[in-house]
Amino acid sequence: AAGGCAWTGPLGDVEAHLKSSCGFELVPCKFSAPSRFEDEDDVCDELVLRRVQEEHAAECQYRPVQCRHCQTTVCLHQMEGHERYCLEKVVECANQGCSAVMKQGEMDEHCDTCEFQSVACPCHGCRTRLLRRDLPAHLAPGTPHDGHVAALIRQNAELVAQQEKMELRMREQVGVAAFEWSI
């Protein structure tokens, strides 16, 4: 074996010694075998001296660790990225003025209704961005943007008319197709 091993014994036992107990034999890291995680290529490929294998394993970047938020097991070197996007991690709403705290996985839904979320005025042609809580006042009658409500009503009527035309065209096409296939 390699320099430093003080083992002595019958020559016939050398192979067994090297395979099982020699501290100076190079052995694969405990985390070299796939199957712990989804990514089977995410394994340690280091060879270490058997006598320091446990020390290496304690510091190995491929050792399994559990997320403190969701208890999912990932490799140590992946934990930072996992925690950044962990859906169970408790976070504060990023909107200035909002003090809501929730799981990261609930944040998108919260932002869809957060009063402090910046939103665009829904009126075609208006380029104003404002907080969601200020939108009703922006659209209210008697404000400089009084025409917005009328514009929204007009837009809605146009969309309803477009939808009716499309439905009529679809009915006509289905009727023609049904007729053509009934031979």
Side-chain angles (χ1 to χ4, degrees), residues 40-150:
E40 294 205 4
D41 292 330
D42 207 5
V43 297
C44 182
D45 58 4
E46 286 192 45
L47 292 175
V48 296
L49 295 176
R50 181 177 282 119
R51 65 187 173 96
V52 295
Q53 187 178 30
E54 290 305 316
E55 293 167 29
H56 169 79
E59 296 177 5
C60 182
Q61 292 296 302
Y62 293 90
R63 76 178 184 274
V65 290
Q66 211 171 39
C67 174
R68 61 188 167 151
H69 307 292
C70 69
Q71 278 58 60
T72 297
T73 301
V74 298
C75 286
L76 176 64
H77 75 93
Q78 295 175 330
M79 184 54 72
E80 185 178 329
H82 170 82
E83 280 194 336
R84 189 176 308 126
Y85 300 105
C86 180
L87 299 178
E88 296 297 312
K89 180 180 175 182
V90 176
V91 294
E92 294 179 10
C93 179
N95 294 323
Q96 188 174 1
C98 183
S99 59
V101 176
M102 70 209 65
K103 291 180 180 179
Q104 191 159 256
E106 300 167 355
M107 189 56 69
D108 285 346
E109 187 176 332
H110 165 75
C111 286
D112 288 343
T113 60
C114 179
E115 293 180 352
F116 296 94
Q117 178 74 28
S118 175
V119 295
C121 175
C123 294
H124 184 69
C126 181
R127 296 175 192 236
T128 303
R129 288 203 67 82
L130 61 162
L131 298 182
R132 181 174 278 114
R133 71 177 184 177
D134 297 332
L135 190 58
H138 176 75
L139 298 173
T143 66
H145 306 286
D146 198 7
H148 281 25
V149 174

